[in-house]
Short mmCIF file of all heavy atoms in Angstrom, two decimals:
data_model
loop_
_atom_site.label_atom_id
_atom_site.label_comp_id
_atom_site.label_asym_id
_atom_site.label_seq_id
_atom_site.Cartn_x
_atom_site.Cartn_y
_atom_site.Cartn_z
N ASP V 72 -67.35 17.40 -9.35
CA ASP V 72 -68.11 17.85 -10.44
C ASP V 72 -67.13 18.40 -11.52
O ASP V 72 -66.01 18.58 -11.28
CB ASP V 72 -69.04 19.02 -10.07
CG ASP V 72 -70.09 18.58 -9.10
OD1 ASP V 72 -70.48 17.45 -9.12
OD2 ASP V 72 -70.63 19.50 -8.36
N SER V 73 -67.69 18.53 -12.75
CA SER V 73 -66.89 19.01 -13.89
C SER V 73 -66.35 20.37 -13.56
O SER V 73 -67.08 21.27 -13.00
CB SER V 73 -67.70 19.08 -15.11
OG SER V 73 -66.95 19.45 -16.20
N ALA V 74 -65.12 20.65 -13.89
CA ALA V 74 -64.49 21.97 -13.55
C ALA V 74 -65.03 23.05 -14.61
O ALA V 74 -65.36 22.68 -15.72
CB ALA V 74 -62.94 21.88 -13.74
N ASP V 75 -65.04 24.23 -14.14
CA ASP V 75 -65.32 25.40 -14.98
C ASP V 75 -64.00 25.80 -15.64
O ASP V 75 -62.98 25.99 -14.95
CB ASP V 75 -65.93 26.53 -14.30
CG ASP V 75 -67.27 26.24 -13.75
OD1 ASP V 75 -68.01 25.37 -14.34
OD2 ASP V 75 -67.62 26.80 -12.71
N PHE V 76 -64.03 26.04 -16.99
CA PHE V 76 -62.83 26.47 -17.69
C PHE V 76 -63.05 27.91 -17.99
O PHE V 76 -63.94 28.35 -18.56
CB PHE V 76 -62.67 25.64 -18.95
CG PHE V 76 -62.32 24.22 -18.67
CD1 PHE V 76 -63.24 23.28 -18.79
CD2 PHE V 76 -61.01 23.85 -18.45
CE1 PHE V 76 -63.00 21.90 -18.49
CE2 PHE V 76 -60.68 22.55 -18.19
CZ PHE V 76 -61.69 21.54 -18.21
N ILE V 77 -62.11 28.73 -17.52
CA ILE V 77 -62.13 30.18 -17.77
C ILE V 77 -60.71 30.64 -18.11
O ILE V 77 -59.76 30.22 -17.50
CB ILE V 77 -62.67 30.87 -16.51
CG1 ILE V 77 -62.93 32.40 -16.78
CG2 ILE V 77 -61.90 30.72 -15.32
CD1 ILE V 77 -63.78 33.08 -15.80
N SER V 78 -60.68 31.56 -19.10
CA SER V 78 -59.41 32.07 -19.50
C SER V 78 -58.79 33.09 -18.58
O SER V 78 -59.45 33.68 -17.76
CB SER V 78 -59.51 32.71 -20.92
OG SER V 78 -60.21 33.91 -20.82
N TYR V 79 -57.50 33.25 -18.68
CA TYR V 79 -56.82 34.31 -17.89
C TYR V 79 -57.45 35.67 -18.21
O TYR V 79 -57.68 36.42 -17.24
CB TYR V 79 -55.39 34.20 -18.39
CG TYR V 79 -54.42 35.25 -17.82
CD1 TYR V 79 -53.82 35.04 -16.63
CD2 TYR V 79 -54.12 36.39 -18.54
CE1 TYR V 79 -52.91 35.96 -16.08
CE2 TYR V 79 -53.18 37.34 -18.03
CZ TYR V 79 -52.64 37.12 -16.83
OH TYR V 79 -51.72 38.04 -16.28
N GLN V 80 -57.74 35.93 -19.41
CA GLN V 80 -58.30 37.23 -19.85
C GLN V 80 -59.69 37.40 -19.18
O GLN V 80 -59.92 38.45 -18.63
CB GLN V 80 -58.41 37.25 -21.36
CG GLN V 80 -59.07 38.62 -21.84
CD GLN V 80 -59.14 38.62 -23.37
OE1 GLN V 80 -59.27 37.59 -24.00
NE2 GLN V 80 -59.14 39.81 -23.91
N ASN V 81 -60.44 36.43 -19.16
CA ASN V 81 -61.82 36.52 -18.50
C ASN V 81 -61.79 36.70 -17.06
O ASN V 81 -62.64 37.42 -16.49
CB ASN V 81 -62.69 35.39 -18.94
CG ASN V 81 -63.14 35.38 -20.38
OD1 ASN V 81 -63.17 36.43 -20.92
ND2 ASN V 81 -63.54 34.23 -20.89
N ILE V 82 -60.76 36.09 -16.42
CA ILE V 82 -60.64 36.34 -14.92
C ILE V 82 -60.35 37.81 -14.70
O ILE V 82 -60.97 38.38 -13.81
CB ILE V 82 -59.52 35.46 -14.37
CG1 ILE V 82 -59.79 33.99 -14.39
CG2 ILE V 82 -59.14 35.86 -12.97
CD1 ILE V 82 -60.70 33.51 -13.32
N PHE V 83 -59.40 38.35 -15.38
CA PHE V 83 -59.10 39.79 -15.22
C PHE V 83 -60.33 40.69 -15.53
O PHE V 83 -60.57 41.66 -14.84
CB PHE V 83 -57.88 40.16 -16.07
CG PHE V 83 -56.63 40.08 -15.38
CD1 PHE V 83 -55.98 38.86 -15.32
CD2 PHE V 83 -56.04 41.17 -14.76
CE1 PHE V 83 -54.78 38.75 -14.63
CE2 PHE V 83 -54.84 41.10 -14.08
CZ PHE V 83 -54.15 39.86 -14.00
#
Side-chain angles (χ1 to χ4, degrees):
D72 292 335
S73 183
D75 293 330
F76 294 96
I77 187 166
S78 72
Y79 175 85
Q80 182 181 25
N81 285 338
I82 293 280
F83 268 83

